[in-house]
Amino acid sequence: GENVEQHPSTLSVQEGDSAVIKCTYSDSASNYFPWYKQELGKRPQLIIDIRSNVGEKKDQRIAVTLNKTAKHFSLHITETQPEDSAVYFCAGTGNTPLVFGKGTRLSVIA
Amino acid sequence: DVKVTQSSRYLVKRTGEKVFLECVQDMDHENMFWYRQDPGLGLRLIYFSYDVKMKEKGDIPEGYSVSREKKERFSLILESASTNQTSMYLCASNLQGRNYGYTFGSGTRLTVV
């Protein structure tokens, strides 16, 4: 089955800097890769997703890139703000339930 | 706005008790899932269901069962609660196409003493 690995487990950046979180997956049949943000004490919320027929997708300060050959995908947050501090999860699936990475705790230091 | 509602935010139960965690969604989603979330382990799939009366085991089903008698409701059952089942439990749902992002409930933090 699918295995999703996520790095780093913790990340601290200065406000205004960029943050990058990377994930790899094992199943070449996987074709859908969402990212979730979970603020302290709240539910995970979908922030962006990408499908395997697309190499990059942007939504304001957030972008996701996908390299199908290398089987990895990344979340990029530019101009980070304190409200970006949260735990971020990547996930992947082909035709089965989502398999999640272990999460990255992002701290944006003002 | 899609809502996934979990009946309890916090629960404290004793070892050996039978525990029911309820999840209801109001957007006619076919698919429903139960995950548990533990620090450093991420979200791990316990059980899922793609239709009423249907259930399939996830990665960590031992010690759990589920019930889906109605489309909108998916219940997680701990047959005999143990301390290693102390965790945050998250319910989620999505559309039948499967490759759509989940909507999560707010979670139930279960403590077994």
Side-chain angles (χ1 to χ4, degrees), chain B residues 5-16:
Chain B
T5 303
Q6 295 184 230
S7 54
S8 302
R9 190 78 174 96
Y10 299 94
L11 275 179
V12 180
K13 296 292 181 180
R14 294 194 180 278
T15 301

Side-chain angles (χ1 to χ4, degrees), chain B:
Chain B
D1 198 22
V2 176
K3 284 187 179 175
V4 178
T5 303
Q6 295 184 230
S7 54
S8 302
R9 190 78 174 96
Y10 299 94
L11 275 179
V12 180
K13 296 292 181 180
R14 294 194 180 278
T15 301
E17 277 193 79
K18 190 169 187 177
V19 181
F20 294 85
L21 303 184
E22 305 290 345
C23 176
V24 177
Q25 50 90 9
D26 67 358
M27 281 300 289
D28 206 33
H29 283 176
E30 292 83 5
N31 304 337
M32 297 188 76
F33 310 87
W34 276 105
Y35 287 83
R36 65 177 281 177
Q37 181 177 16
D38 300 288
L41 298 179
L43 281 74
R44 294 179 291 164
L45 181 66
I46 306 172
Y47 267 96
F48 62 101
S49 170
Y50 288 153
D51 202 353
V52 177
K53 307 274 187 187
M54 177 269 183
K55 59 185 178 185
E56 289 197 36
K57 293 180 180 179
D59 299 318
I60 51 164
E62 297 78 19
Y64 304 94
S65 63
V66 290
S67 172
R68 193 163 182 203
E69 296 295 319
K70 293 185 178 181
K71 188 175 185 179
E72 67 270 19
R73 185 180 297 270
F74 192 35
S75 303
L76 180 69
I77 304 157
L78 286 66
E79 298 291 342
S80 177
S82 64
T83 54
N84 63 12
Q85 292 179 310
T86 292
S87 186
M88 170 67 83
Y89 290 88
L90 288 165
C91 175
S93 70
N94 75 342
L95 287 169
Q96 190 174 29
R98 298 184 187 177
N99 282 351
Y100 292 92
Y102 294 173
T103 298
F104 281 92
S106 295
T108 296
R109 182 163 296 282
L110 173 67
T111 302
V112 182
V113 298

Side-chain angles (χ1 to χ4, degrees), chain A residues 68-105:
Chain A
K68 285 171 55 180
T69 304
K71 288 192 275 192
H72 67 71
F73 57 111
S74 301
L75 178 71
H76 304 254
I77 306 174
T78 59
E79 301 173 13
T80 53
Q81 301 168 3
E83 52 265 38
D84 295 328
S85 295
V87 178
Y88 292 81
F89 293 97
C90 63
T93 184
N95 205 26
T96 56
L98 285 174
V99 176
F100 288 85
K102 291 189 164 96
T104 297
R105 182 174 299 278

Side-chain angles (χ1 to χ4, degrees), chain A residues 21-35:
Chain A
I21 302 170
K22 298 181 179 181
C23 290
T24 60
Y25 62 99
S26 60
D27 188 351
S28 57
S30 288
N31 57 11
Y32 175 65
F33 306 94
W35 286 87

Side-chain angles (χ1 to χ4, degrees), chain A residues 37-98:
Chain A
K37 175 184 180 182
Q38 187 177 29
E39 296 177 52
L40 191 62
K42 297 192 176 179
R43 72 188 77 194
Q45 296 214 312
L46 178 69
I47 56 172
I48 195 167
D49 56 14
I50 191 167
R51 298 181 191 278
S52 58
N53 58 346
V54 174
E56 183 176 2
K57 184 176 178 181
K58 286 184 180 179
D59 182 3
Q60 299 183 334
R61 296 187 296 108
I62 293 173
V64 58
T65 58
L66 172 64
N67 182 326
K68 285 171 55 180
T69 304
K71 288 192 275 192
H72 67 71
F73 57 111
S74 301
L75 178 71
H76 304 254
I77 306 174
T78 59
E79 301 173 13
T80 53
Q81 301 168 3
E83 52 265 38
D84 295 328
S85 295
V87 178
Y88 292 81
F89 293 97
C90 63
T93 184
N95 205 26
T96 56
L98 285 174

